[in-house]
Every structure is written in C-alpha cells, then in structure tokens.
Amino acid sequence: MKENYTALYPNEEVALKVGDYSYEHSTKLPKHITDHHTWGVETQERSNYMISPLQAQFQVWMAKAIGAKRILEIGTFIGFSTMGWAEAVGPSGHVTALEFSPEYVAIAEESFAKNGIKNVEVVVGDAKESIKKLSETVKDPYDLIFIDADKTSYPTYLEQTLEYSQPGSSTRLLRPGGIIIADNILRRALIAGPRYPSPSPDANPWAAKERERTWRETDMAALHKFNDMMVQSSRLETFLMPMFDGLGMGRLVD
Ligand SMILES: C[S@@+](CC[C@H](N)C(=O)[O-])C[C@H]1O[C@@H](n2cnc3c(N)ncnc32)[C@H](O)[C@@H]1O
C-alpha cells in the first residue's frame, strides 16, 4: 500500500479476523506462554492490561532480531509479556521486570516457577525508584527496554533511560544501539486525533467506544510529551508503529 496511513478496519469483526490471520502466520509462542495469557483472561479482572499474543509474537521476534540478551521491562502485571522476553533472550539471557503491585508479582513469580523460567528477576516497587537503583548497580547494559507501566510516568522513564545511559560511562542502563519500545502511545488513536468525533463514529462505534473508555487527561498530556520527546531527542532514531495500541520505538544512537 503506497499511502502513508494505516487503514482503519470497518468493524471489530474484520479487525479481529485480520489479527487472527496475522497471528496464525507468525511464529508461534510456546504453549506455556499462550496458556498463561488464556489463564489471565479467564481469571484476572484487569486482563486488558496484558499485551495481545500477536503483540507478544512481534516483541519476541524483534528481541531476537536484535540479538537481545538483556531486557528491562517496566510494568509486568502477571508476567505475560515478561515470559515472551524470557523466551527471546533464552536461558543464558536475563530479564529484569519492574512491578509496583506485590499481588501481581506473586502471580508472575508463581507462573515463572511453575514453568521453569529462571532468567527473570522481578523488582517490586515504584519503577522510578527501581530504575534509579538499577542505574547505580547495573554491570552490563540492557539491549532493550520495554515501557508498559503508568502512562503519566512515560516521560520520566524516557528521561531516566537517557540520563542513565551516558556515552562513555562504564555503568549505563541501555547500550549504544539499544532499543526502547513503549506500549499504548496512541491510546486507541486518541493521541493522533480529536476526542470528538472519532474519525467515523457512526461507521465504527466499536472504535469510538474504545476511545471513550481510555480517555484520561493526564495520560494524554504525558503521552503527547513522551512522543514529542522521543522524536525530538538527538540521541534517538525513532519509529512510531501504528499497530496494536501504538508502539513508540527508539534506537539509542550513542
Ligand atoms: C499494562 S500493565 C503491564 C502489562 C504487561 N506488560 C503485559 O503485557 O503482560 C502495567 C503494570 O504496571 C504497573 N505499574 C503501574 N505504575 C507503576 C509504577 N510506578 N511502578 C511499577 N509498576 C507500575 C501496574 O501495577 C500494572 O501491573
């Protein structure tokens, strides 16, 4: 398609069919990971926090494509996306997962133990504090940092990543050439367009409902700021991928 836009699907049914088709034509996730997603959907009130299996396929693929061996995840929930990262880096790699809620951490750790996943360390607490502490102790830099926690802190997570990854520093968070991936940066398209009306509320009431559900003034302001910071930083090469709920991707140049 030569045009520079992502076609909006006419309705939820078509969107789901396209997603399922893409899922079937992408390398499968191991069964224990898809089982955890299914279990999360069936049992967790906030299961919509999880990325989709299709997005997990993309993330595993991307991590392997860059040869990632060390990944930092900000926002772990019950450990679904974490399991994808753990798979991508392999047993000799390492994933550091940051999560605020001890309740979610307990679920994630139980699932890791049950599935013999030994290459993940979960750090409980406010990610901003955890990142600061990590930056003081980290020996080897991360290859990839995944941002998927509270939207209002996205600008801070990016500032911290850049500040704690200074060129020439012996201790740095992200390596030169390392990748940042931030989830939900389009917020059901709200970020790129007006709140009302949605591009075609009558033609696509499903999309309009989704926009309404995810609207929060503070989140919107923070995500606008984050997206601007990403593209304006001279230290990053960026690509905003308008898939899933919007993935902000940056490559650290120095
Ligand atoms: C969208 S969910 C993460 C979902 C997960 N990445 C997945 O796809 O399976 C965001 C998580 O970030 C956590 N969180 C929110 N604010 C946080 C903070 N300041 N520090 C650490 N974790 C936080 C929430 O408790 C929640 O579990």
Side-chain angles (χ1 to χ4, degrees):
M1 187 161 76
K2 67 179 193 303
E3 290 86 3
N4 201 12
Y5 74 92
T6 299
L8 288 174
Y9 300 117
N11 55 49
E12 183 176 10
E13 192 188 346
V14 176
L16 283 171
K17 279 212 158 83
V18 173
D20 286 346
Y21 184 86
S22 307
Y23 179 74
E24 291 304 329
H25 292 80
S26 304
T27 300
K28 297 271 171 294
L29 297 166
K31 186 171 180 304
H32 70 272
I33 301 185
T34 47
D35 282 354
H36 190 55
H37 193 272
T38 305
W39 177 83
V41 169
E42 285 168 358
T43 62
Q44 297 300 305
E45 193 187 339
R46 300 202 164 139
S47 60
N48 64 313
Y49 275 6
M50 289 185 291
I51 59 168
S52 66
L54 179 61
Q55 184 174 338
Q57 284 173 317
F58 167 72
Q59 292 185 178
V60 171
W61 183 88
M62 173 60 113
K64 287 189 174 181
I66 67 159
K69 281 290 170 196
R70 288 178 52 79
I71 294 179
L72 173 62
E73 173 175 85
I74 307 172
T76 291
F77 187 44
I78 59 167
F80 171 65
S81 52
T82 331
M83 285 184 171
W85 299 130
E87 173 70 17
V89 299
S92 64
H94 178 82
V95 179
T96 307
L98 312 183
E99 172 54 53
F100 193 72
S101 153
E103 189 191 325
Y104 295 148
V105 169
I107 296 173
E109 286 188 325
E110 195 184 321
S111 309
F112 301 154
K114 203 174 77 188
N115 292 292
I117 297 170
K118 299 196 173 96
N119 56 357
V120 178
E121 178 200 8
V122 186
V123 182
V124 192
D126 184 341
K128 293 179 281 301
E129 293 304 315
S130 305
I131 294 170
K132 189 169 184 304
K133 282 192 197 130
L134 264 180
S135 75
E136 290 158 6
T137 53
V138 70
K139 289 201 174 70
D140 299 312
Y142 293 96
D143 301 299
L144 192 157
I145 298 182
F146 179 50
I147 305 177
D148 190 23
D150 51 323
K151 308 309 156 199
T152 45
S153 299
Y154 272 36
T156 305
Y157 297 139
L158 181 57
E159 275 162 8
Q160 288 185 308
T161 299
L162 294 174
E163 183 187 337
Y164 300 140
S165 307
Q166 292 299 331
S169 168
S170 57
T171 56
R172 52 181 293 161
L173 216 50
L174 186 62
R175 70 162 163 85
I179 303 282
I180 297 165
I181 300 181
D183 197 23
N184 312 113
I185 49 84
L186 285 175
R187 219 55 176 154
R188 302 295 195 276
L190 275 164
I191 288 294
R195 182 182 182 191
Y196 298 113
S198 64
S200 50
D202 297 332
N204 194 347
W206 162 68
K209 214 169 87 193
E210 278 298 281
R211 285 188 181 84
E212 188 56 26
R213 195 174 65 77
T214 47
W215 174 269
R216 266 182 54 194
E217 199 87 45
T218 45
D219 287 0
M220 293 302 127
L223 290 172
H224 275 297
K225 185 174 174 191
F226 175 85
N227 293 338
D228 289 347
M229 285 168 65
M230 285 277 280
V231 75
Q232 285 163 10
S233 170
S234 59
R235 299 183 60 202
L236 294 172
E237 291 167 346
T238 56
F239 186 77
L240 194 162
M241 189 164 75
M243 264 190 76
F244 312 117
D245 196 21
L247 286 189
M249 304 199 284
R251 176 182 170 276
L252 184 59
V253 177
D254 56 5

mmCIF file of all heavy atoms in Angstrom, residues 49-51 75-77 80-81 99-100 104 125-128 146 148-150 157, ligand 1:
data_model
loop_
_atom_site.group_PDB
_atom_site.id
_atom_site.type_symbol
_atom_site.label_atom_id
_atom_site.label_comp_id
_atom_site.label_asym_id
_atom_site.label_seq_id
_atom_site.Cartn_x
_atom_site.Cartn_y
_atom_site.Cartn_z
ATOM 1 N N TYR A 49 -4.888 -5.375 30.761
ATOM 2 C CA TYR A 49 -3.536 -4.822 30.945
ATOM 3 C C TYR A 49 -2.514 -5.549 30.053
ATOM 4 O O TYR A 49 -1.503 -4.986 29.669
ATOM 5 C CB TYR A 49 -3.070 -5.007 32.394
ATOM 6 C CG TYR A 49 -3.503 -3.950 33.390
ATOM 7 C CD1 TYR A 49 -4.373 -2.929 33.041
ATOM 8 C CD2 TYR A 49 -3.024 -3.983 34.701
ATOM 9 C CE1 TYR A 49 -4.759 -1.975 33.977
ATOM 10 C CE2 TYR A 49 -3.403 -3.035 35.630
ATOM 11 C CZ TYR A 49 -4.269 -2.038 35.270
ATOM 12 O OH TYR A 49 -4.636 -1.108 36.192
ATOM 13 N N MET A 50 -2.793 -6.835 29.788
ATOM 14 C CA MET A 50 -1.806 -7.638 29.047
ATOM 15 C C MET A 50 -1.760 -7.215 27.584
ATOM 16 O O MET A 50 -2.787 -6.884 26.998
ATOM 17 C CB MET A 50 -2.188 -9.127 29.079
ATOM 18 C CG MET A 50 -2.021 -9.792 30.411
ATOM 19 S SD MET A 50 -2.360 -11.572 30.296
ATOM 20 C CE MET A 50 -4.108 -11.620 29.997
ATOM 21 N N ILE A 51 -0.574 -7.290 26.998
ATOM 22 C CA ILE A 51 -0.489 -7.141 25.549
ATOM 23 C C ILE A 51 -1.159 -8.366 24.915
ATOM 24 O O ILE A 51 -1.391 -9.377 25.589
ATOM 25 C CB ILE A 51 0.976 -7.012 25.058
ATOM 26 C CG1 ILE A 51 1.812 -8.238 25.464
ATOM 27 C CG2 ILE A 51 1.605 -5.715 25.546
ATOM 28 C CD1 ILE A 51 3.170 -8.303 24.773
ATOM 29 N N GLY A 75 6.763 -2.440 34.074
ATOM 30 C CA GLY A 75 5.333 -2.762 34.091
ATOM 31 C C GLY A 75 5.121 -4.197 33.674
ATOM 32 O O GLY A 75 5.076 -4.534 32.493
ATOM 33 N N THR A 76 4.972 -5.077 34.674
ATOM 34 C CA THR A 76 4.996 -6.520 34.428
ATOM 35 C C THR A 76 3.640 -7.188 34.562
ATOM 36 O O THR A 76 3.368 -8.186 33.925
ATOM 37 C CB THR A 76 6.014 -7.163 35.393
ATOM 38 O OG1 THR A 76 7.303 -6.733 34.975
ATOM 39 C CG2 THR A 76 5.978 -8.663 35.403
ATOM 40 N N PHE A 77 2.802 -6.632 35.456
ATOM 41 C CA PHE A 77 1.478 -7.212 35.739
ATOM 42 C C PHE A 77 1.680 -8.685 36.129
ATOM 43 O O PHE A 77 2.501 -8.967 36.991
ATOM 44 C CB PHE A 77 0.559 -6.995 34.529
ATOM 45 C CG PHE A 77 -0.874 -7.385 34.749
ATOM 46 C CD1 PHE A 77 -1.564 -7.038 35.921
ATOM 47 C CD2 PHE A 77 -1.593 -8.097 33.777
ATOM 48 C CE1 PHE A 77 -2.900 -7.394 36.112
ATOM 49 C CE2 PHE A 77 -2.922 -8.446 33.957
ATOM 50 C CZ PHE A 77 -3.556 -8.103 35.123
ATOM 51 N N PHE A 80 2.919 -11.846 31.687
ATOM 52 C CA PHE A 80 2.736 -12.414 30.338
ATOM 53 C C PHE A 80 3.800 -11.912 29.361
ATOM 54 O O PHE A 80 4.539 -12.704 28.771
ATOM 55 C CB PHE A 80 1.328 -12.117 29.802
ATOM 56 C CG PHE A 80 1.186 -12.504 28.353
ATOM 57 C CD1 PHE A 80 1.272 -13.835 27.963
ATOM 58 C CD2 PHE A 80 1.007 -11.542 27.366
ATOM 59 C CE1 PHE A 80 1.183 -14.205 26.616
ATOM 60 C CE2 PHE A 80 0.916 -11.892 26.026
ATOM 61 C CZ PHE A 80 1.002 -13.229 25.650
ATOM 62 N N SER A 81 3.920 -10.581 29.207
ATOM 63 C CA SER A 81 4.920 -10.073 28.254
ATOM 64 C C SER A 81 6.326 -10.469 28.711
ATOM 65 O O SER A 81 7.208 -10.745 27.893
ATOM 66 C CB SER A 81 4.815 -8.548 28.105
ATOM 67 O OG SER A 81 4.846 -7.904 29.357
ATOM 68 N N GLU A 99 7.686 -4.027 38.799
ATOM 69 C CA GLU A 99 6.229 -4.018 39.029
ATOM 70 C C GLU A 99 5.931 -3.450 40.421
ATOM 71 O O GLU A 99 6.577 -3.795 41.393
ATOM 72 C CB GLU A 99 5.666 -5.443 38.890
ATOM 73 C CG GLU A 99 4.212 -5.636 39.282
ATOM 74 C CD GLU A 99 3.228 -4.692 38.589
ATOM 75 O OE1 GLU A 99 3.240 -4.619 37.350
ATOM 76 O OE2 GLU A 99 2.458 -4.008 39.293
ATOM 77 N N PHE A 100 4.914 -2.602 40.460
ATOM 78 C CA PHE A 100 4.512 -1.912 41.683
ATOM 79 C C PHE A 100 3.759 -2.836 42.656
ATOM 80 O O PHE A 100 3.976 -2.796 43.854
ATOM 81 C CB PHE A 100 3.591 -0.764 41.250
ATOM 82 C CG PHE A 100 3.326 0.235 42.302
ATOM 83 C CD1 PHE A 100 4.308 1.124 42.699
ATOM 84 C CD2 PHE A 100 2.082 0.316 42.907
ATOM 85 C CE1 PHE A 100 4.070 2.061 43.679
ATOM 86 C CE2 PHE A 100 1.841 1.252 43.894
ATOM 87 C CZ PHE A 100 2.831 2.131 44.271
ATOM 88 N N TYR A 104 0.438 -8.744 42.043
ATOM 89 C CA TYR A 104 0.722 -9.186 40.671
ATOM 90 C C TYR A 104 2.079 -9.899 40.596
ATOM 91 O O TYR A 104 2.236 -10.878 39.870
ATOM 92 C CB TYR A 104 0.714 -7.992 39.699
ATOM 93 C CG TYR A 104 -0.629 -7.310 39.549
ATOM 94 C CD1 TYR A 104 -0.714 -5.942 39.295
ATOM 95 C CD2 TYR A 104 -1.820 -8.036 39.662
ATOM 96 C CE1 TYR A 104 -1.942 -5.314 39.155
ATOM 97 C CE2 TYR A 104 -3.054 -7.412 39.534
ATOM 98 C CZ TYR A 104 -3.101 -6.046 39.276
ATOM 99 O OH TYR A 104 -4.315 -5.432 39.149
ATOM 100 N N GLY A 125 8.136 -2.496 43.469
ATOM 101 C CA GLY A 125 8.183 -1.099 43.919
ATOM 102 C C GLY A 125 7.907 -0.144 42.778
ATOM 103 O O GLY A 125 7.657 -0.565 41.646
ATOM 104 N N ASP A 126 7.958 1.144 43.107
ATOM 105 C CA ASP A 126 7.757 2.167 42.082
ATOM 106 C C ASP A 126 8.922 2.099 41.096
ATOM 107 O O ASP A 126 10.092 2.202 41.484
ATOM 108 C CB ASP A 126 7.702 3.543 42.753
ATOM 109 C CG ASP A 126 7.390 4.655 41.755
ATOM 110 O OD1 ASP A 126 7.572 4.445 40.535
ATOM 111 O OD2 ASP A 126 6.962 5.733 42.203
ATOM 112 N N ALA A 127 8.595 1.932 39.820
ATOM 113 C CA ALA A 127 9.643 1.723 38.808
ATOM 114 C C ALA A 127 10.647 2.884 38.773
ATOM 115 O O ALA A 127 11.816 2.669 38.493
ATOM 116 C CB ALA A 127 8.995 1.517 37.448
ATOM 117 N N LYS A 128 10.182 4.085 39.069
ATOM 118 C CA LYS A 128 11.108 5.231 39.005
ATOM 119 C C LYS A 128 12.251 5.063 40.016
ATOM 120 O O LYS A 128 13.411 5.329 39.726
ATOM 121 C CB LYS A 128 10.344 6.546 39.232
ATOM 122 C CG LYS A 128 9.369 6.852 38.094
ATOM 123 C CD LYS A 128 8.584 8.115 38.300
ATOM 124 C CE LYS A 128 7.413 7.989 39.247
ATOM 125 N NZ LYS A 128 6.386 7.005 38.874
ATOM 126 N N PHE A 146 11.503 -2.097 27.696
ATOM 127 C CA PHE A 146 10.078 -2.091 27.331
ATOM 128 C C PHE A 146 9.317 -1.274 28.366
ATOM 129 O O PHE A 146 9.339 -1.591 29.560
ATOM 130 C CB PHE A 146 9.555 -3.535 27.303
ATOM 131 C CG PHE A 146 8.092 -3.664 26.971
ATOM 132 C CD1 PHE A 146 7.537 -3.029 25.867
ATOM 133 C CD2 PHE A 146 7.259 -4.455 27.750
ATOM 134 C CE1 PHE A 146 6.182 -3.164 25.549
ATOM 135 C CE2 PHE A 146 5.910 -4.606 27.444
ATOM 136 C CZ PHE A 146 5.375 -3.964 26.346
ATOM 137 N N ASP A 148 5.830 -0.146 29.812
ATOM 138 C CA ASP A 148 4.410 -0.529 29.758
ATOM 139 C C ASP A 148 3.777 -0.395 31.145
ATOM 140 O O ASP A 148 3.023 -1.255 31.578
ATOM 141 C CB ASP A 148 4.269 -1.969 29.229
ATOM 142 C CG ASP A 148 2.818 -2.336 28.929
ATOM 143 O OD1 ASP A 148 2.010 -1.424 28.709
ATOM 144 O OD2 ASP A 148 2.502 -3.541 28.911
ATOM 145 N N ALA A 149 4.130 0.697 31.864
ATOM 146 C CA ALA A 149 3.543 0.903 33.198
ATOM 147 C C ALA A 149 2.618 2.131 33.131
ATOM 148 O O ALA A 149 1.994 2.370 32.100
ATOM 149 C CB ALA A 149 4.655 1.061 34.226
ATOM 150 N N ASP A 150 2.527 2.892 34.228
ATOM 151 C CA ASP A 150 1.630 4.059 34.281
ATOM 152 C C ASP A 150 2.002 5.076 33.200
ATOM 153 O O ASP A 150 3.159 5.458 33.069
ATOM 154 C CB ASP A 150 1.680 4.690 35.668
ATOM 155 C CG ASP A 150 3.112 4.964 36.132
ATOM 156 O OD1 ASP A 150 4.006 4.150 35.839
ATOM 157 O OD2 ASP A 150 3.326 6.015 36.748
ATOM 158 N N TYR A 157 10.299 7.906 32.551
ATOM 159 C CA TYR A 157 11.026 6.683 32.199
ATOM 160 C C TYR A 157 12.005 6.949 31.050
ATOM 161 O O TYR A 157 13.116 6.428 31.037
ATOM 162 C CB TYR A 157 10.054 5.558 31.824
ATOM 163 C CG TYR A 157 9.139 5.130 32.955
ATOM 164 C CD1 TYR A 157 7.799 4.838 32.751
ATOM 165 C CD2 TYR A 157 9.622 5.015 34.263
ATOM 166 C CE1 TYR A 157 6.963 4.448 33.797
ATOM 167 C CE2 TYR A 157 8.794 4.633 35.309
ATOM 168 C CZ TYR A 157 7.466 4.354 35.071
ATOM 169 O OH TYR A 157 6.651 3.972 36.113
HETATM 170 C C1 LIG B 1 -0.244 -2.519 31.327
HETATM 171 S S1 LIG B 1 0.248 -3.369 32.764
HETATM 172 C C2 LIG B 1 1.640 -4.318 32.191
HETATM 173 C C3 LIG B 1 1.247 -5.474 31.347
HETATM 174 C C4 LIG B 1 2.360 -6.407 30.952
HETATM 175 N N1 LIG B 1 3.490 -5.691 30.385
HETATM 176 C C5 LIG B 1 1.861 -7.404 29.932
HETATM 177 O O1 LIG B 1 1.712 -7.035 28.775
HETATM 178 O O2 LIG B 1 1.622 -8.565 30.309
HETATM 179 C C6 LIG B 1 1.012 -2.114 33.697
HETATM 180 C C7 LIG B 1 1.549 -2.572 35.033
HETATM 181 O O3 LIG B 1 2.370 -1.524 35.533
HETATM 182 C C8 LIG B 1 2.233 -1.487 36.928
HETATM 183 N N2 LIG B 1 2.605 -0.140 37.369
HETATM 184 C C9 LIG B 1 1.878 0.996 37.313
HETATM 185 N N3 LIG B 1 2.578 2.029 37.810
HETATM 186 C C10 LIG B 1 3.781 1.547 38.178
HETATM 187 C C11 LIG B 1 4.938 2.116 38.755
HETATM 188 N N4 LIG B 1 5.008 3.418 39.049
HETATM 189 N N5 LIG B 1 5.974 1.317 39.013
HETATM 190 C C12 LIG B 1 5.932 -0.019 38.705
HETATM 191 N N6 LIG B 1 4.870 -0.599 38.150
HETATM 192 C C13 LIG B 1 3.795 0.161 37.891
HETATM 193 C C14 LIG B 1 0.775 -1.838 37.192
HETATM 194 O O4 LIG B 1 0.611 -2.359 38.513
HETATM 195 C C15 LIG B 1 0.489 -2.852 36.082
HETATM 196 O O5 LIG B 1 0.634 -4.158 36.572
#
